[in-house]
């Protein structure tokens, strides 16, 4: 296979797979942290992605490197979770967290062991944010991870404040504010790094 044939194969296969998944060049570029100009160049056959990017493209489309470089039209890729499922599955998981908290609450009320059993619903909030953080890492974007992380910080602080009735415990809110500032700086740094990578 000549270099020209390889370029043409990759160009055709990327275009075919992208269209099969109903992605625009901009959407594919965003998923790869590249510019849409780069994707356009690859699809015209004016350039070839490096091996690491080719591997990322293969993983994204659910195909092998051979499928991307081969002369035959690639088979339909594995389908990822539908957008609706990306919302419903996390909601069901978060609902399950509060269901467990409800069951535990009613059990504790029946056996009358803990007079502050209502705190279980407060404890369920950081647990729900942990679930949201996991799903945001899997399926959602950087902003959703920022929101989930921020929610986790503040909900943990509220849980601590309500659990321990100490007068001078308000200092934990200062700690939370510092953590929030660090979180903002971390995600700004990640966002800027992502933008720089797209420009390259």
């Amino acid at each position: 296979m000549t270099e020209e044939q390889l370029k043409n194969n990759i160009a055709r296969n990327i275009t075919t797979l992208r269209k099969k998944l109903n992605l625009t060049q901009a959407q594919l570029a965003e998923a790869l942290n590249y510019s849409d100009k780069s994707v356009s160049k690859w699809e015209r056959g004016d350039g070839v992605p490096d091996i690491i990017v080719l591997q990322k493209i293969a993983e994204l489309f659910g195909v092998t490197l051979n499928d991307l470089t081969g002369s035959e039209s690639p088979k339909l890729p594995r389908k990822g979770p539908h957008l609706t499922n990306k919302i419903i599955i996390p909601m069901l998981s978060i609902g399950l967290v509060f269901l467990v908290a409800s069951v535990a609450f009613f059990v504790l009320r029946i056996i009358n062991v803990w007079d502050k059993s209502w705190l279980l619903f407060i404890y369920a909030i950081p647990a729900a944010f942990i679930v949201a953080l996991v799903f945001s890492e899997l399926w959602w974007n950087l902003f959703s991870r920022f929101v989930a992380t921020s929610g986790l910080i503040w909900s943990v602080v509220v849980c601590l404040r309500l659990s321990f009735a100490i007068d001078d415990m308000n200092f934990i809110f200062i700690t939370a504010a510092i953590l929030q500032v660090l979180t903002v700086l971390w995600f700004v740094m990640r966002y800027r790094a992502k933008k720089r990578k797209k420009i390259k």
Side-chain angles (χ1 to χ4, degrees):
M1 183 187 300
T2 65
E3 185 179 342
E4 195 61 33
Q5 286 173 323
L6 182 64
K7 279 184 181 180
N8 290 336
N9 288 350
I10 291 171
R12 185 190 65 250
N13 292 336
I14 289 175
T15 306
T16 301
L17 290 167
R18 177 179 63 76
K19 288 179 178 176
K20 282 182 180 178
L21 287 181
N22 295 318
L23 292 174
T24 64
Q25 288 184 342
Q27 288 170 326
L28 176 58
E30 185 178 357
L32 297 170
N33 289 328
Y34 269 77
S35 67
D36 52 353
K37 289 179 182 177
S38 296
V39 174
S40 176
K41 185 173 72 173
W42 300 335
E43 291 190 357
R44 290 195 312 269
D46 292 339
V48 176
D50 63 43
I51 190 67
I52 295 170
V53 178
L54 275 174
Q55 183 60 42
K56 278 182 77 174
I57 294 170
E59 288 171 5
L60 181 69
F61 289 143
V63 296
T64 65
L65 282 173
N66 285 342
D67 290 327
L68 279 181
T69 58
S71 55
E72 293 182 13
S73 183
K75 296 177 182 177
L76 282 171
R78 297 191 305 264
K79 286 190 176 180
H82 191 270
L83 179 60
T84 307
N85 291 342
K86 288 183 181 181
I87 297 169
I88 292 174
I89 293 171
M91 290 300 180
L92 285 172
S93 303
I94 290 169
L96 189 60
V97 169
F98 284 97
L99 177 63
V100 169
S102 301
V103 170
F105 170 78
F106 287 117
V107 168
L108 290 174
R109 293 290 286 180
I110 289 167
I111 60 178
N112 201 19
V113 172
W114 187 29
D115 59 344
K116 286 190 174 181
S117 54
W118 58 270
L119 278 172
L120 288 170
F121 293 107
I122 306 299
Y123 297 154
I125 296 171
F129 275 116
I130 290 170
V131 171
L133 189 57
V134 169
F135 282 106
S136 68
E137 283 290 336
L138 288 173
W139 294 334
W140 301 336
N141 60 20
L142 195 61
F143 179 72
S144 65
R145 292 196 283 276
F146 169 74
V147 171
T149 305
S150 299
L152 180 60
I153 290 169
W154 290 101
S155 58
V156 166
V157 167
V158 169
C159 287
L160 290 172
R161 183 67 185 88
L162 293 174
S163 298
F164 303 103
I166 302 171
D167 291 337
D168 59 348
M169 188 122 178
N170 289 332
F171 72 88
I172 62 171
F173 289 102
I174 297 170
T175 306
I178 293 168
L179 282 172
Q180 183 65 67
V181 170
L182 292 173
T183 302
V184 169
L185 292 173
W186 170 253
F187 279 96
V188 165
M189 188 177 72
R190 292 273 307 273
Y191 178 77
R192 288 171 64 102
K194 189 176 177 182
K195 282 288 184 187
R196 279 197 303 269
K197 201 170 182 182
K198 277 186 182 180
I199 293 169
K200 289 179 182 178

